[in-house]
Amino acid sequence: MPHGPLTLNPWGKQDFLSSDFDLAWGRGPRSIQVEAVVASQLILDDLEDLLVRFCAPDASGRIPTGACTHGVHWHAPVDMCATYNAKAEEIGRDLALSWVHLHDKDSVSRIAGMSLQALRARVEAAPRGALVTMKGKSEHSRSLSRETVLKALAAPPSALLDALGASAAPDDAWRAAAPRATAIVDLTRQIAETGEGPPTWPVCTSTHGHIHFVKKHPPFHVRRLASGGVVLATHPYCSLWPLWANALSALGLMS
């Protein structure tokens, strides 16, 4: 019997989601913050590319949703590091799937293909005031209520997508490191393509300092696809929940 959805497990960590890179530093001292941003840029590019290729190999849109995790199982989408939805206007599916999974204990792999209307009905069937516990750092992000999910599903999808996009803006620490990180990535790629340029140096970005920076300043991407779909992504060490919590709060939907 089929166990669930299509699954891909790329175990070749030396080629995918690697934490070791050969980088061209150019001028200036090394920086853990800059190295962490470089690694995140490269990893997010690979992560988003793989997810889109796997979920949308053509324009059929036959795969409604998918996700990527640093762990083993398909958990609540808002707790994953990346999600794909074939229809951007159904981005609320991530929230509804998460609620039903956490509240009703249903396996995400078994309910991911349900229509958004069916998922909404499952949320509505829960008792008024029902809450699920979330792994949030601030008080407003430590739980998710039935009412918040229903209000989000009733909101215009464009407003939800705009709020997610605004909430994905990097913080000051990330912005400070980003220009040099981008320059290093561009120079490294140029050397790889032409074989000309300064020497590259091996850099390991799995140290405590690198991981601490990424977790304290998680990067978020909200990528609208030409097919009409949307991808939400963050570093595999992080979760999409802070992005969702900030977007819902900005819309005044957290209750």
Side-chain angles (χ1 to χ4, degrees):
M1 288 182 67
H3 176 67
L6 291 171
T7 303
L8 175 65
N9 296 307
W11 296 115
K13 292 296 184 68
Q14 70 275 13
D15 297 318
F16 181 74
L17 302 184
S18 174
S19 57
D20 298 319
F21 304 94
D22 289 326
L23 302 176
W25 271 96
R27 297 181 179 179
R30 289 181 55 175
S31 160
I32 285 180
Q33 293 81 7
V34 171
E35 291 175 356
V37 174
V38 168
S40 294
Q41 289 181 1
L42 297 174
I43 288 172
L44 280 173
D45 285 349
D46 282 349
L47 185 64
E48 293 175 25
D49 183 63
L50 177 72
L51 188 57
V52 172
R53 287 175 182 270
F54 187 59
C55 294
D58 51 40
S60 69
R62 62 184 181 272
I63 298 177
T65 190
C68 184
T69 177
H70 193 252
V72 178
H73 302 292
W74 195 352
H75 297 295
V78 298
D79 280 335
M80 305 288 269
C81 65
T83 63
Y84 160 86
N85 279 281
K87 297 179 180 179
E89 64 270 22
E90 292 191 355
I91 188 63
R93 172 187 296 276
D94 284 359
L95 205 58
L97 273 174
S98 298
W99 167 268
V100 175
H101 167 67
L102 294 170
H103 186 266
D104 296 350
K105 310 304 180 187
D106 280 11
S107 168
V108 176
S109 63
R110 296 295 187 184
I111 61 176
M114 291 177 65
S115 69
L116 188 56
Q117 292 74 18
L119 289 168
R120 186 199 312 267
R122 291 284 300 272
V123 178
E124 289 177 336
R128 291 182 180 274
L131 298 169
V132 293
T133 301
M134 305 300 297
K135 296 178 181 178
K137 295 181 179 179
S138 60
E139 184 175 350
H140 80 275
S141 65
R142 290 175 186 153
S143 64
L144 178 63
S145 73
R146 166 189 180 271
E147 284 66 34
T148 290
V149 177
L150 291 175
K151 285 187 287 187
L153 295 178
S158 59
L160 199 53
L161 287 164
D162 287 346
L164 287 165
S167 297
D171 62 14
D172 291 343
W174 198 272
R175 282 196 295 269
R180 191 172 180 215
T182 299
I184 290 171
V185 170
D186 290 345
L187 181 57
T188 301
R189 286 174 172 165
Q190 177 186 320
I191 294 171
E193 292 172 359
T194 66
E196 299 178 355
T200 59
W201 301 94
V203 175
C204 174
T205 62
S206 60
T207 70
H208 172 77
H210 293 92
I211 295 172
H212 177 74
F213 180 81
V214 169
K215 288 186 173 181
K216 187 176 181 181
H217 310 280
F220 296 108
H221 285 183
V222 178
R223 177 182 168 192
R224 300 290 295 270
L225 305 175
S227 63
V230 63
V231 170
L232 307 183
T234 186
H235 192 284
Y237 291 154
C238 305
S239 156
L240 290 171
W241 174 237
L243 174 69
W244 273 101
N246 288 338
L248 295 171
S249 180
L251 291 172
L253 303 180
M254 295 293 275
S255 58

